[in-house]
Amino acid sequence: MILHSLIDYDILRVIWWGLLGVLLIGFALTDGFDMGVGALLPFVAETDVERRVAINTVGPVWEGNQVWFILGGGAIFAAWPPLYAVSFSGFYLAMFVVLAAFIVRPVAFKYRSKRDDVRWRTSWDWALFASGAIPALLFGVAVGNVIQGVPFHFTDDLHTIYEGAWYTKFIGLLDPFSLLAGVVSLSMLVMHGGAWLTLKAEGNVRDRARRFGSIAALVAVAAYALAGVWMALGIEGYRIVGDYLTTGPSNPLHFEVEKTASWLTAYSDRPWIAIAPIMGIAGGLLTFLGLRAGREVSTLLVSKMAILGVISSVGLTMFPFIMPSSSDPRSSLTVWNSSSSHMTLFIMLVVTVIFMPMILAYTAWVYKVLWGKVTEADVTDNSHSVY
Amino acid sequence: MEFGIVELSRLQFAMTAMYHFLFVPLTLGLSILVAIMETVYVMTNRPIWRQMTKFWGTLFGINFVLGVATGITMEFQFGMNWSYYSHYVGDIFGAPLAIEGLMAFFLEATFVGLFFFGWDKLSKVAHLTVAWLVAIGSNFSALWILIANGWMQNPVGAQFNPMTMRMEMTDFYEVLFNEVAQAKFVHTVSAGYVTASVFVLGVSAWYLLRGRHIELARRSITVAAAFGLASAFSVVLLGDESGYSATHSQKMKLAAIEGMWETEAAPASFTAFGFPDQEARTTHYAIHVPYVMGLIGTRSLTTSIPGIEELESQAETRIKSGLIAYDALMHIREARDNADPAETARFEAHSADLGFAFLLKKYVDDPRQATPEQIVQAANDTIPTVWPLFWAFRIMVALGFGFIATMLYFFYRASFKGMDFPRPALHLAVWMIPAPWIAAELGWFVAEFGRQPWTVDGVLPTAMSVSALSMTEVALTLAGFVIFYTVLFVIEMGLMLKYIRKGPFQDVEETDAWVIRHTERLAGRRNADAIAMPAE
């Protein structure tokens, strides 16, 4: 098969770097509000009926949303195998916690309302809270670690070796900057969940969602801005040194990499990327105002804009780095040396171009069918069919 | 055997995969059965079929959610526990996994919500379409994961790249239309259909024994028996197709399943019973059925099937050839862009055996330093432990024939005896419920344990595939999964039983007009399908 040479290897790599971003953003925009609603559950809903209203706002859609997470794993495996291998084995115990959350959450959604027992339901409510809040926090922590570089190196035959004992590997993830990044992602997704509940719920649940969502929006903007300042002052960046091939074989050890004073020099090299953090901050502030004003549809849209801005700002700032190595910079994963082969990237692009529009179309149709508010009457009248 | 990180990681993978596979077969089959029931409802407009759709749909939902939840572990643990494997074959193996997400997971997961929440929001035909999309999505996911797994069994369409130190795809069509993958797909989905049919049959039989929900139960048995009969035939015949394809690609697995130590003159006999002895390299008390193995494995009377000892000596030859490839690879890698063409040619001539040299990594860091004894030992390692394979296979096949017999009987009673089922048969159907799960787990075991010592047959040994993790880390997650999965299993079983005991939300009475016409039709033409009637 020679079709794949229609698109140059380096262009395919950049496209797949973009698609990686699309997947992460797609995940945060859809599953993000599920996690946000979970994290908000104990705060916005007090009675059982209120909780069921909140849960049923995401009831019919969380399964589809969660596929963004699974597809994220699959697509990283297919398009960026070294990233898949290094990050998941490196963040091993943290990944286990995230997996546990993603396993317990579906079960909690589905099983909570299947028994009329108060203890049963309260336990599942806690499960929903934890499985929303903990991964939302840990995703940010992971990004914080990636920004600072992760302590790993490759052997000559590309075995990944992590520095340090298992407990330092795990506890070491929770440094102050990464925790701050975790606060950004948690508050951002809580804000998004608040915007969703404002749109889909009524009465008390909606009013509390507006209040907590707007607080979360302010926290997100402040933490994001603080992280930016921190990156300007105290976080080292990375760059590739010397000549390198953007179309060469995917072997990270073929590159020379060194640390620089800061990632933020990217903004003087390519000033246009400033649009991303501007969207992030403006989106967060507009969401705050929208929640205060009680606007529904437009608030959800600006909340999406905030998420789009925040996530893409990380990728654009670090480009072409995907996962730098702090202990052996030469092992760093970049767009140019950690992708799949030319042919696999091409085939996967063709498949994505065919199926992604279909997915977006039928997902949009499902949301349209489900359009409208979930009321207390809806859940009490249909107890045997809804959650 | 020393118990290290490799064994611990294997244990975790086996445990999470087999646990996942408790839910998947039922999802595969029940999604289709529910869609069939809803189709009858839409065509005939009779409320009982809507009630059946909803009732079995509820049980489907309880099961589906755990299939989804435990599937997440599967998607991520290659990277977590098998990072060298992920690096080494991700270029090929990752693609079907990602396509599975794009083509199958989104479809089933997006529409499954609408299936449960959309009864009042959609027209009947639209809701039926949603039910079928869920079923198609579930079955597509089986297709793609088995294309990925089929590649591990028979790695076609790929080549080793010395510059990236990994396998890379050379032909996507070969990966896609891999004969092993195709045979596995049809065998596995059929197994899922049998599982769901036995489940529906068993639960309905229990209702009949209790005299409850009789209308629902009798119709459910009829659907399950018809669907189950076709599936039971197909699972056995297509399992045979898997065996036939293994004759070309996985000779060692086939010989081990057979307990066939020495090559027999064609056509080989089939060992129906015996006690394989790994030490003595013989099968005690073997009962042979002449010709059968030769016919199954080669579909000819003249082609012979190699035995374990012949394959072991072939492995030794391939290890020595692999060492040449390994040595050339080291030279190519050192030279990087200026590789000596002679070395490249030497590598390419032997690269098909590179994986066999890796078998020595278990004993020495540099396979080129291996002693002749270590080479003999590595060749011996290519023989999987025979007795569990031998027995697992035989139990699976016996259960397969048991399903055909059961389904045939219930189909006969439902079609020709006016849905009148004797009580002993109903008791049998209830006791039969766990059987398809046992068969499915044994099938997984035969396929995956039979591939050892390889993760990718002939390409990458299992011992080399693991992540550089500490025992503590893997032990912690293994313990976590065991506790977590046990709790979920108890909860799931509790809910399943609760909803089965509770039965359908409300029993639906057939209309008088329908009952009269139904009786007339039964009286007039006893052999006619007593269920399917035109819309009232």
Side-chain angles (χ1 to χ4, degrees):
Chain A
M1 204 158 84
I2 45 159
L3 265 180
H4 62 275
S5 44
L6 283 174
I7 307 181
D8 289 338
Y9 200 8
D10 49 353
I11 293 176
L12 275 172
R13 281 171 163 162
V14 173
I15 291 174
W16 269 102
W17 172 80
L19 285 173
L20 182 61
V22 168
L23 282 171
L24 290 176
I25 292 164
F27 167 63
L29 292 186
T30 57
D31 211 42
F33 66 70
D34 301 353
M35 286 187 274
V37 169
L40 278 171
L41 192 61
F43 305 103
V44 297
E46 283 167 5
T47 66
D48 184 55
V49 175
E50 284 175 0
R51 292 204 170 162
R52 289 182 57 207
V53 167
I55 290 167
N56 276 292
T57 63
V58 294
V61 293
W62 65 264
E63 268 173 310
N65 294 345
Q66 181 149 311
V67 179
W68 286 96
F69 177 67
I70 302 170
L71 180 64
I76 293 174
F77 201 174
W80 307 99
L83 175 64
Y84 179 83
V86 172
S87 60
F88 293 172
S89 63
F91 297 150
Y92 189 75
L93 289 178
M95 272 304 294
F96 175 75
V97 175
V98 170
L99 285 188
F102 275 80
I103 292 167
V104 89
R105 205 171 54 127
V107 183
F109 272 124
K110 190 82 195 172
Y111 291 178
R112 178 195 182 275
S113 302
K114 293 232 182 272
R115 279 186 200 277
D116 258 335
D117 175 59
V118 178
R119 259 185 59 206
W120 170 270
R121 291 193 171 187
T122 323
S123 312
W124 286 119
D125 288 343
W126 278 106
L128 282 171
F129 168 74
S131 64
I134 292 172
L137 179 83
L138 284 180
F139 286 129
V141 170
V143 172
N145 275 280
V146 169
I147 290 174
Q148 297 175 88
V150 180
F152 71 94
H153 71 269
F154 286 113
T155 62
D156 284 340
D157 50 5
L158 296 182
H159 275 281
T160 321
I161 308 290
Y162 263 80
E163 270 67 65
W166 66 268
Y167 45 88
T168 53
K169 241 173 90 183
F170 182 56
I171 303 298
L173 295 177
L174 305 171
D175 64 279
F177 177 78
S178 301
L179 283 173
L180 178 65
V183 171
V184 173
S185 66
L186 175 60
S187 54
M188 184 171 82
L189 297 183
V190 167
M191 163 190 90
H192 197 46
W196 174 258
L197 280 174
T198 309
L199 175 68
K200 292 291 283 186
E202 293 183 325
N204 282 342
V205 175
R206 187 187 109 101
D207 295 342
R208 294 187 199 117
R210 284 174 58 191
R211 193 160 71 240
F212 286 103
S214 59
I215 297 170
L218 282 187
V219 173
V221 170
Y224 179 65
L226 182 61
V229 174
W230 197 331
M231 279 178 74
L233 301 176
I235 307 281
E236 291 177 312
Y238 293 78
R239 70 184 185 98
I240 307 173
V241 211
D243 292 332
Y244 59 90
L245 266 181
T246 54
T247 54
S250 281
N251 187 330
L253 297 180
H254 288 187
F255 279 36
E256 286 304 322
V257 171
E258 65 176 20
K259 293 188 182 181
T260 63
S262 168
W263 283 113
L264 300 188
T265 50
Y267 288 83
S268 53
D269 298 343
R270 24 178 211 278
W272 60 270
I273 64 174
I275 181 112
I278 291 170
M279 275 171 73
I281 290 185
L285 293 174
L286 286 171
T287 310
F288 170 75
L289 294 174
L291 284 169
R292 286 276 140 166
R295 304 282 295 261
E296 295 176 353
V297 178
S298 52
T299 304
L300 190 67
L301 289 177
V302 288
S303 172
K304 288 180 178 178
M305 181 174 97
I307 292 175
L308 175 70
V310 168
I311 295 180
S312 51
S313 73
V314 176
L316 288 168
T317 305
M318 290 177 64
F319 185 90
F321 283 87
I322 299 178
M323 186 164 174
S325 162
S326 55
S327 60
D328 178 35
R330 200 172 71 105
S331 292
S332 297
L333 304 180
T334 71
V335 173
W336 314 123
N337 64 17
S338 46
S339 74
S340 289
S341 66
H342 197 167
M343 179 186 280
T344 299
L345 286 186
F346 180 79
I347 290 166
M348 288 311 301
L349 181 62
V350 172
V351 175
T352 309
V353 166
I354 294 171
F355 283 99
M356 197 42 91
M358 288 168 63
I359 291 166
L360 295 177
Y362 62 63
T363 305
W365 180 75
V366 168
Y367 276 86
K368 188 171 153 275
V369 169
L370 298 164
W371 186 260
K373 291 201 179 271
V374 177
T375 63
E376 298 201 350
D378 283 339
V379 301
T380 45
D381 296 348
N382 297 299
S383 283
H384 58 94
S385 62
V386 302
Y387 290 154
Chain B
M1 190 169 68
E2 192 192 347
F3 200 84
I5 191 80
V6 178
E7 286 71 27
L8 204 57
S9 302
R10 279 182 64 193
L11 189 62
Q12 176 162 323
F13 193 91
M15 187 237 141
T16 52
M18 292 176 91
Y19 186 80
H20 177 55
F21 212 61
L22 289 176
F23 308 103
V24 173
L26 189 58
T27 294
L28 288 174
L30 209 48
S31 66
I32 293 201
L33 279 172
V34 166
I36 290 174
M37 290 171 187
E38 191 171 352
T39 307
V40 178
Y41 165 61
V42 171
M43 284 166 66
T44 64
N45 224 352
R46 295 205 326 258
I48 179 104
W49 288 91
R50 176 183 157 106
Q51 179 209 13
M52 283 162 65
T53 310
K54 283 200 164 188
F55 171 68
W56 295 109
T58 303
L59 300 185
F60 167 77
I62 295 172
N63 174 71
F64 180 84
V65 76
L66 272 184
V68 171
T70 55
I72 294 173
T73 313
M74 304 313 298
E75 188 91 8
F76 288 84
Q77 71 172 329
F78 296 107
M80 292 169 68
N81 291 75
W82 304 94
S83 70
Y84 198 65
Y85 169 86
S86 305
H87 148 75
Y88 201 83
V89 299
D91 197 61
I92 307 108
F93 187 83
L97 249 60
I99 299 174
E100 184 185 22
L102 282 164
M103 203 166 160
F105 289 154
F106 263 116
L107 197 63
E108 57 174 336
T110 306
F111 286 109
V112 80
L114 214 49
F115 177 83
F116 291 108
F117 288 76
W119 283 102
D120 307 326
K121 295 189 167 75
L122 295 169
S123 74
K124 278 205 293 195
V125 174
H127 193 275
L128 176 65
T129 312
V130 165
W132 276 107
L133 288 173
V134 172
I136 292 169
S138 305
N139 281 269
F140 263 143
S141 78
L143 172 67
W144 288 102
I145 196 63
L146 288 162
I147 286 175
N149 180 268
W151 188 82
M152 296 167 79
Q153 317 281 352
N154 182 29
V156 289
Q159 203 177 5
F160 184 81
N161 180 347
M163 282 297 109
T164 54
M165 281 300 289
R166 68 181 183 192
M167 299 295 287
E168 292 186 353
M169 201 182 305
T170 55
D171 193 333
F172 185 56
Y173 295 102
E174 278 191 44
V175 175
L176 210 56
F177 296 105
N178 184 352
E179 59 164 353
V180 174
Q182 299 300 326
K184 269 179 175 297
F185 167 63
V186 283
H187 178 61
T188 308
V189 292
S190 305
Y193 302 163
V194 172
T195 306
S197 304
V198 172
F199 175 76
V200 171
L201 185 71
V203 172
S204 305
W206 188 74
Y207 285 149
L208 288 185
L209 286 170
R210 298 272 169 129
R212 293 171 53 191
H213 319 300
I214 291 172
E215 297 293 311
L216 174 135
R218 292 166 74 188
R219 281 170 184 76
S220 298
I221 288 186
T222 308
V223 177
F227 186 63
L229 180 61
S231 316
F233 271 118
S234 125
V235 79
V236 172
L237 292 176
L238 297 167
D240 166 61
E241 183 66 29
S242 277
Y244 180 62
S245 63
T247 319
H248 315 294
S249 53
Q250 293 185 283
K251 299 186 170 72
M252 183 62 95
K253 185 194 279 180
L254 192 73
I257 286 171
E258 247 316 279
M260 189 164 74
W261 300 96
E262 285 157 26
T263 310
E264 277 182 49
S269 59
F270 174 78
T271 312
F273 180 86
F275 295 99
D277 183 340
Q278 195 106 2
E279 293 280 305
R281 299 206 164 184
T282 181
T283 302
H284 302 295
Y285 306 109
I287 296 171
H288 297 290
V289 187
Y291 288 20
V292 170
M293 191 58 216
L295 285 171
I296 293 175
T298 67
R299 297 187 185 160
S300 90
L301 291 168
T302 49
T303 320
S304 70
I305 303 174
I308 291 173
E309 293 188 337
E310 182 180 340
L311 293 167
E312 186 191 18
S313 74
Q314 283 175 14
E316 199 175 322
T317 317
R318 292 192 72 178
I319 291 172
K320 286 171 183 159
S321 160
L323 285 173
I324 303 174
Y326 187 86
D327 184 54
L329 173 64
M330 292 300 120
H331 289 120
I332 295 171
R333 226 173 55 189
E334 267 166 41
R336 206 181 280 188
D337 297 331
N338 316 308
D340 180 355
E343 292 292 342
T344 313
R346 200 159 71 100
F347 175 74
E348 277 167 12
H350 294 272
S351 65
D353 296 325
L354 180 65
F356 282 81
F358 289 152
L359 287 171
L360 292 161
K361 286 249 183 192
K362 204 171 148 187
Y363 303 104
V364 277
D365 279 340
D366 185 347
R368 292 171 294 184
Q369 311 298 327
T371 63
E373 292 74 37
Q374 284 169 328
I375 291 176
V376 169
Q377 186 56 43
N380 183 47
D381 289 347
T382 60
I383 307 171
T385 313
V386 171
W387 71 265
L389 287 171
F390 183 91
W391 278 106
F393 179 78
R394 272 149 193 78
I395 297 169
M396 176 184 77
V397 171
L399 287 171
F401 283 105
F403 300 138
I404 293 184
T406 314
M407 290 301 170
L408 206 55
Y409 176 78
F410 275 93
F411 183 73
Y412 169 76
R413 297 298 303 190
S415 304
F416 304 113
K417 296 287 170 186
M419 297 196 280
D420 171 37
F421 308 105
R423 288 187 73 85
L426 294 175
H427 278 290
L428 176 77
V430 175
W431 285 106
M432 193 109 185
I433 293 178
W437 274 273
I438 296 171
E441 297 288 343
L442 290 173
W444 181 88
F445 177 81
V446 168
E448 304 305 302
F449 187 79
R451 196 191 53 232
Q452 298 306 323
W454 305 100
T455 40
V456 180
D457 195 60
V459 169
L460 186 68
T462 312
M464 227 174 119
S465 308
V466 287
S467 303
L469 294 166
S470 65
M471 290 288 274
T472 323
E473 279 168 299
V474 184
L476 276 175
T477 56
L478 178 60
F481 278 123
V482 168
I483 295 168
F484 200 42
Y485 277 9
T486 309
V487 171
L488 287 185
F489 186 74
V490 170
I491 292 172
E492 201 256 5
M493 286 300 285
L495 274 184
M496 269 287 192
L497 292 175
K498 178 190 159 184
Y499 274 79
I500 289 172
R501 262 190 222 111
K502 198 168 134 194
F505 174 59
Q506 60 185 128
D507 273 320
V508 176
E509 296 296 330
E510 287 289 6
T511 58
D512 290 344
W514 182 83
V515 173
I516 291 165
R517 281 178 59 183
H518 179 69
T519 327
E520 279 171 2
R521 179 166 272 225
L522 272 184
R525 290 192 292 142
R526 276 194 74 85
N527 291 356
D529 184 351
I531 300 283
M533 295 279 286
E536 293 294 332

